[in-house]
């Protein structure tokens, strides 16, 4: 039963290649439906024009399915939260326009959500009647996705500050581009993770870039990996197929060491012992395991999101929308999406 005291948020996510709709009721998730786009696999990356067309096709069925599964009628919705950015402009336009159109027809407010804040607030998604173990403020969040790598000091749900970030490529890009170099399809991150489980992480060694402060850099690492593969394939044309598991294990272990070494330094420097990870790469099993190990060793509390809420999803957008609704942070109907949007 829905009463007019209930806060029902419909969240819409369309920033990259996943079309997703989710519904929260009084801050608890009822449903999270995502349509993935497989069309990009053979292109080695997301093709923006194909992504926005696929969003147009998927958005209505995804929203319908979310309402149906949650047993919510459109008129029960209190507000519509949507991803305004950062992301691919054509993709963002689909979600933003849909949110505006629906809000106009229902006479409900819209709430813009920053995708990166959404990833972090995925840690606050809970099921009805669940009392989950959530990070306490202030906490540090390492947000690692296909487009971003940031260390964020989270002071409150809607009060955060970036204390370090990549100066070039993102961690997810490093995974995906190395996978592409090995001839693996997009997105390669989950595949590297899969093969790495069967390989020897100490078989091949790589060097770390030197980057100031709590910042990261992945572009030199990517080149290092490319030259390594080119050199080895020259000596043995079957090098990749004969050693795939060991290459993935060694390379993944290197990337995870790099990510966590800076994160640990940031936690020590800021005196923060609540540590979380978020974004697509936080689904990586080694990153999750190594963060747990670091937490145990240092006596820190560490938090990893449920798998469903690591990669792009509307649950995190609805959740952020809920917090903004409580703050009465609504957007005007003439708001436009934007490819770049700082936290
Ligand atoms: O957050 P996300 O879904 O989209 C962006 O906002 O970019 O992140 C997608 C990224 C891709 O680069 C993908 O390869 C990576 O997350 N990813 C992984 C794993 N699962 C997804 N990387 C490493 N290991 C994984 N298990
Ligand atoms: Zn994302």
């Amino acid at each position: 039963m829905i009463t007019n005291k209930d806060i029902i948020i419909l969240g819409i996510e369309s920033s990259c290649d996943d079309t997703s709709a989710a519904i929260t009721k009084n801050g608890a998730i009822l449903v999270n439906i995502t349509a993935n786009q497989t069309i990009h696999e053979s292109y080695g990356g997301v093709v923006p024009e194909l992504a926005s067309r696929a969003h147009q096709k998927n958005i209505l069925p995804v929203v319908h399915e979310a309402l149906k599964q949650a047993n919510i009628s459109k008129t029960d919705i209190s507000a519509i939260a949507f991803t305004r950015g950062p992301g691919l402009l054509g993709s963002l336009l689909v979600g933003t326009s849909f949110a505006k159109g629906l809000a106009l027809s229902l006479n409900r407010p819209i709430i813009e959500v920053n995708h990166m804040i959404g990833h972090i607030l995925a840690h606050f998604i809970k099921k009805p009647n669940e009392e989950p173990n959530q990070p306490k403020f202030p906490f540090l969040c390492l947000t690692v996705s296909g487009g971003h790598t940031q260390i964020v000091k989270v002071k409150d749900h809607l009060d955060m500050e970036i204390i370090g970030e990549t100066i070039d490529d993102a961690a997810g890009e490093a995974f995906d581009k190395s996978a592409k170099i090995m001839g693996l399809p997009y997105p390669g991150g989950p595949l590297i993770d899969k093969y790495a489980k069967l390989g020897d992480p100490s078989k091949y060694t790589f060097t770390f870039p030197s980057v100031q402060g709590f910042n990261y850099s992945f572009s030199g690492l990517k080149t290092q990996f490319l030259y390594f593969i080119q050199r080895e394939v020259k000596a043995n044309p079957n090098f990749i197929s004969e050693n795939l598991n060991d290459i993935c294990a060694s390379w993944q272990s290197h990337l995870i060491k790099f990510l966590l070494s800076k994160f640990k330094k940031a936690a020590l420097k800021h005196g923060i012992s609540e540590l979380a990870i978020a974004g697509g790469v936080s689904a990586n099993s080694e990153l999750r395991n190594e963060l747990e190990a670091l937490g145990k060793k240092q006596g820190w509390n560490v938090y990893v999101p449920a798998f469903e809420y690591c990669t792009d999803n509307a649950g995190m957008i609805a959740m952020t929308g809920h917090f903004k609704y409580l703050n009465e942070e609504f957007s005007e109907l003439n708001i436009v999406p934007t490819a770049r949007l700082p936290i």
Side-chain angles (χ1 to χ4, degrees):
M1 246 282 279
I2 306 291
T3 70
N4 58 9
K5 285 207 184 88
D6 288 319
I7 303 170
I8 307 286
I9 307 292
L10 168 67
I12 295 189
E13 157 63 30
S14 72
S15 66
C16 191
D17 58 342
D18 296 309
T19 321
S20 186
I23 296 170
T24 55
K25 177 183 171 188
N26 302 326
I29 190 110
L30 300 181
V31 68
N32 179 49
I33 305 274
T34 303
N36 306 109
Q37 303 178 4
T38 47
I39 192 159
H40 311 284
E41 273 169 18
S42 54
Y43 292 92
V46 176
V47 185
E49 183 53 34
L50 296 180
S52 61
R53 274 190 239 162
H55 282 304
Q56 284 178 332
K57 213 170 81 193
N58 293 341
I59 193 140
L60 203 57
V62 163
V63 171
H64 267 294
E65 188 58 25
L67 289 166
K68 194 172 119 197
Q69 284 192 23
N71 199 16
I72 293 280
S73 126
K74 276 186 297 204
T75 51
D76 293 330
I77 295 170
S78 314
I80 300 161
F82 65 97
T83 305
R84 182 182 174 212
L88 301 170
L89 198 56
S91 293
L92 291 164
L93 257 174
V94 178
T96 306
S97 312
F98 183 88
K100 285 189 199 181
L102 185 59
L104 199 59
S105 72
L106 296 172
N107 193 24
R108 296 291 189 276
I110 51 169
I111 301 172
E112 64 159 297
V113 172
N114 181 308
H115 182 82
M116 302 315 294
I117 292 178
H119 270 304
I120 295 172
L121 297 185
H123 280 279
F124 297 92
I125 297 175
K126 55 173 185 169
K127 297 201 177 82
N129 306 318
E130 185 192 26
E131 274 312 317
N133 183 26
Q134 296 174 340
K136 286 146 216 85
F137 301 115
F139 67 91
L140 281 191
C141 186
L142 173 65
T143 317
V144 269
S145 72
H148 293 79
T149 302
Q150 300 174 332
I151 299 180
V152 182
K153 182 174 175 184
V154 187
K155 299 169 214 168
D156 206 342
H157 291 120
L158 298 171
D159 182 9
M160 9 190 124
E161 178 197 349
I162 296 175
I163 60 167
E165 63 187 325
T166 181
I167 56 168
D168 42 54
D169 294 350
E173 241 174 310
F175 270 95
D176 296 338
K177 287 185 177 162
S178 329
K180 192 176 176 186
I181 290 168
M182 293 186 282
L184 299 174
Y186 176 86
L191 292 172
I192 292 187
D193 191 2
K194 181 176 143 193
Y195 297 127
K197 287 191 179 114
L198 308 167
D200 172 7
S202 59
K203 176 105 173 254
Y204 306 106
T205 51
F206 303 94
T207 57
F208 292 109
S210 131
V211 205
Q212 292 267 305
F214 305 126
N215 290 335
Y216 291 99
S217 166
F218 289 96
S219 110
L221 278 167
K222 200 180 60 194
T223 313
Q224 188 185 157
F225 187 74
L226 174 68
Y227 289 168
F228 159 74
I229 293 289
Q230 283 178 341
R231 199 175 55 236
E232 296 292 341
V233 167
K234 208 169 166 191
N236 169 14
N238 299 325
F239 173 73
I240 297 174
S241 58
E242 285 171 10
N243 301 283
L244 186 62
N245 296 340
D246 292 339
I247 303 170
C248 289
S250 303
W251 184 237
Q252 173 173 286
S253 152
H254 191 67
L255 293 178
I256 301 301
K257 276 199 183 81
F258 182 46
L259 283 170
L260 285 182
S261 69
K262 289 264 176 168
F263 196 33
K264 179 181 168 187
K265 269 191 204 148
L268 290 171
K269 176 81 198 267
H270 284 259
I272 293 181
S273 56
E274 296 277 310
L275 265 64
I277 51 173
V281 182
S282 68
N284 183 271
S285 54
E286 186 168 343
L287 178 58
R288 295 165 86 95
N289 293 340
E290 288 302 312
L291 180 71
E292 300 274 1
L294 178 66
K296 247 187 209 135
K297 191 165 164 217
Q298 299 289 133
W300 293 342
N301 294 324
V302 301
Y303 304 86
V304 296
F307 271 113
E308 186 183 358
Y309 303 119
C310 287
T311 45
D312 291 347
N313 66 89
M316 66 190 202
I317 305 303
M319 199 63 232
T320 308
H322 177 79
F323 292 122
K324 293 187 95 171
Y325 185 95
L326 296 178
N327 274 6
E328 297 183 18
E329 288 184 40
F330 301 114
S331 310
E332 298 293 333
L333 270 178
N334 62 0
I335 193 164
V336 288
T338 167
R340 291 178 182 273
L341 186 62
I343 278 186

